[in-house]
């Protein structure tokens, strides 16, 4: 075929077909390690927490591994996800224990009839602003929240 009779779209498709053929031939001979990596990823039986790397990322990581091995350095171990989960569970358990201890301290302190020094009305000076005393003959409310607040104030 003559190129003069072909449209721009036909030329584009021919160029793409040629690039695809070259890419297939080049990919097989160019990077067999990446191809093996992709096959291993496709055949894995357990889920992975890492995403599948692109060819550039794979080449970059392979170059880093090779340079570390050549320098005699050891590879950094990836943290085991179960170890992270155990640490998170331990942190959560300690947090719950601390919160429960603080709540218990507050409840025990409020139920005791100890009066904090200086909190009673005897320490108020004349001429200062004072709060209005509550009536002692106030009817009992049936609201549980009011009863809880009353117990905390006593």
């Amino acid at each position: 075929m003559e190129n003069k009779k072909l449209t721009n779209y036909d030329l584009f498709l021919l160029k793409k077909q040629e690039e695809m053929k070259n890419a297939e031939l080049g990919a097989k001979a160019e990077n067999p390690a990446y191809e093996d990596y992709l096959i291993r990823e496709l055949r894995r039986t357990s889920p992975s927490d890492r995403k599948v790397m692109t060819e550039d990322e794979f080449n970059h990581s392979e170059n880093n591994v090779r340079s570390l091995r050549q320098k005699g350095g050891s590879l950094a171990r990836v943290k085991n996800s179960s170890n992270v989960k155990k640490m998170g569970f331990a942190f959560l358990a300690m947090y719950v224990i601390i919160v429960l201890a603080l709540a218990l301290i507050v409840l025990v302190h409020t139920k005791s009839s100890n009066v904090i020094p200086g909190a009673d009305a005897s320490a108020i000076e004349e001429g200062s602003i004072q709060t209005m005393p509550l009536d002692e003959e106030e009817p009992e409310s049936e609201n549980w929240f009011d009863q809880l607040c009353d117990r905390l104030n006593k």
Side-chain angles (χ1 to χ4, degrees):
M1 279 191 195
E2 294 181 20
N3 288 342
K4 292 181 182 179
K5 292 183 181 179
L6 297 175
T7 63
N8 285 338
Y9 183 72
D10 293 333
L11 292 173
F12 172 75
L13 287 178
L14 287 173
K15 184 179 175 186
K16 275 295 197 187
Q17 288 177 351
E18 186 178 324
E19 287 177 0
M20 291 291 283
K21 288 179 185 176
N22 291 339
E24 288 176 4
L25 294 174
K28 290 181 182 175
E30 196 173 300
N31 199 352
Y34 181 68
E35 188 175 321
D36 292 338
Y37 164 74
L38 286 177
I39 290 172
R40 280 193 315 267
E41 287 295 314
L42 287 172
R43 291 183 179 166
R44 69 176 185 242
T45 58
S46 62
S48 176
D49 58 343
R50 296 175 292 154
K51 68 178 186 84
V52 177
M53 294 187 282
T54 63
E55 190 171 1
D56 293 335
E57 292 172 341
F58 179 78
N59 290 335
H60 182 69
S61 68
E62 284 293 312
N63 290 338
N64 287 343
V65 169
R66 287 182 191 142
S67 66
L68 285 174
R69 287 182 183 163
Q70 289 173 356
K71 292 178 184 177
S74 62
L75 295 175
R77 287 189 171 181
V78 177
K79 285 188 177 180
N80 192 357
S81 63
S82 63
N83 188 19
V84 174
K85 289 179 184 176
K86 288 179 186 175
M87 292 299 291
F89 181 72
F91 177 75
L92 180 66
M94 290 300 295
Y95 177 77
V96 168
I97 289 171
I98 290 172
V99 168
L100 288 175
L102 290 174
L104 183 64
I105 290 170
V106 168
L107 286 176
V108 167
H109 183 63
T110 56
K111 286 189 178 183
S112 65
S113 61
N114 296 340
V115 177
I116 300 171
D120 57 349
S122 63
I124 297 175
E125 298 176 7
E126 294 269 338
S128 64
I129 298 175
Q130 300 177 1
T131 59
M132 185 174 157
L134 293 175
D135 294 333
E136 294 296 328
E137 299 174 8
E138 194 173 310
E140 289 288 326
S141 67
E142 296 180 13
N143 189 352
W144 64 270
F145 185 73
D146 286 340
Q147 292 174 357
L148 176 68
C149 290
D150 291 341
R151 274 190 249 131
L152 290 175
N153 286 333
K154 289 183 181 181

